[in-house]
Amino acid sequence: MKRIVASLIVGTMLLLSGCSAFYKGTVYKYDEPELVSGLVLTRAVYKDDTLTIYHDGTIDDDCRLYSEYYDFEYEIDDECIVITYDDIDEVTSFSIERRQHYKYNLRYLNTNQYAVLAYEFATEVGWSLMGGDPESYYTEVELEEQARNQAERQAALDASWAIVEGYYEAQDGRYIEFFIDDNGIPQLCENNHNKRVFSFGSNGSSWVANCSDDPYDYTFYFELADDASYMIVTDYSNGEDVTYYRR
């Protein structure tokens, strides 16, 4: 077995030797072992300072385990994970990351049904949800807070967007347009090239639009007149400022 010491910001796991079919302790057998493809957890056993989770062969040495709340050690074999922590009853959640490509966030391990959110890493967007049920994973209070935060972010985006939305043209014919496409997605068009805007805001007259220009992220900086009648954009090919007037 491979022993790993987790001295990460977050941790939840420590070592124990081997898994036993007759291991005694507080046992939680999960009603539905496979909630997302590629991960099967059948039961958890709490005893003394150890937590043993049986994974049906779906977790291996390519996996790194960590938690936001606990520092720990852990051990993995082809049947189970063994975690050791002084107050083991507190360890009811942790994350599993496989080769920085896939991640599983686990919760409610001390019940008859754990919850999981599965993520896949993509360079252009970071961790993207690929499986699991957020409504089962998060508490009602957390879901309400997420909804409030999302509503606040959307309101801020809408207010900023209302100021700059429109068509701007420079004297040499180059143009910039902020618009909403047919799918309701904010877009920035520079000379007939569209980019999806995913965040937007200002600090005084200085504005920034963070965009996705597949497969890369793109940041667009500009200065906006107080009455939004024109914007100034630096042409990085020659360092000159170009003024675009609203049409």
Side-chain angles (χ1 to χ4, degrees), residues 70-220:
Y70 312 103
D71 214 5
F72 60 81
E73 294 176 350
Y74 61 90
E75 190 172 292
I76 300 171
D77 71 13
D78 58 5
E79 182 180 318
C80 67
I81 301 167
V82 183
I83 299 157
T84 305
Y85 188 74
D86 287 343
D87 299 309
I88 198 63
D89 289 341
E90 296 179 4
V91 182
T92 62
S93 64
F94 59 87
S95 296
I96 301 171
E97 187 177 311
R98 176 176 276 120
R99 293 184 177 178
Q100 298 183 328
H101 296 317
Y102 301 100
K103 178 171 68 172
Y104 305 101
N105 289 344
L106 302 170
R107 256 185 142 174
Y108 315 126
L109 295 167
N110 61 338
T111 71
N112 67 337
Q113 185 55 64
Y114 73 95
V116 60
L117 293 180
Y119 297 87
E120 183 175 15
F121 188 83
T123 303
E124 63 273 17
V125 295
W127 288 109
S128 177
L129 184 66
M130 68 173 189
D133 178 15
E135 292 194 3
S136 299
Y137 184 86
Y138 293 109
T139 66
E140 187 174 340
V141 171
E142 287 170 332
L143 290 170
E144 289 173 354
E145 183 178 1
Q146 289 173 14
R148 281 195 302 271
N149 291 341
Q150 176 58 32
E152 289 173 4
R153 287 193 296 270
Q154 188 61 51
L157 175 61
D158 291 345
S160 297
W161 193 265
I163 296 173
V164 301
E165 186 172 19
Y167 181 91
Y168 301 79
E169 187 174 334
Q171 290 184 343
D172 60 6
R174 285 182 288 178
Y175 72 89
I176 292 167
E177 184 178 11
F178 291 91
F179 68 98
I180 303 294
D181 69 13
D182 293 340
N183 297 313
I185 297 173
Q187 299 278 350
L188 164 63
C189 179
E190 286 187 271
N191 304 308
N192 208 34
H193 181 67
N194 292 351
K195 308 169 188 67
R196 180 177 63 85
V197 179
F198 58 82
S199 70
F200 191 76
S202 67
N203 180 10
S205 63
S206 298
W207 289 71
V208 60
N210 295 303
C211 312
S212 176
D213 186 13
D214 192 32
Y216 306 107
D217 286 349
Y218 173 78
T219 304
F220 179 73

Side-chain angles (χ1 to χ4, degrees), residues 49 178 243:
D49 61 351
F178 291 91
T243 302

Side-chain angles (χ1 to χ4, degrees), residues 35-97:
L35 297 176
V36 295
S37 178
L39 180 69
V40 178
L41 303 182
T42 57
R43 66 192 185 279
V45 181
Y46 287 79
K47 182 183 179 185
D48 300 329
D49 61 351
T50 63
L51 165 59
T52 304
I53 299 177
Y54 292 82
H55 58 75
D56 203 26
T58 53
I59 300 170
D60 55 32
D61 285 344
D62 287 334
C63 295
R64 177 176 73 94
L65 279 61
Y66 60 95
S67 159
E68 189 177 344
Y69 307 103
Y70 312 103
D71 214 5
F72 60 81
E73 294 176 350
Y74 61 90
E75 190 172 292
I76 300 171
D77 71 13
D78 58 5
E79 182 180 318
C80 67
I81 301 167
V82 183
I83 299 157
T84 305
Y85 188 74
D86 287 343
D87 299 309
I88 198 63
D89 289 341
E90 296 179 4
V91 182
T92 62
S93 64
F94 59 87
S95 296
I96 301 171
E97 187 177 311

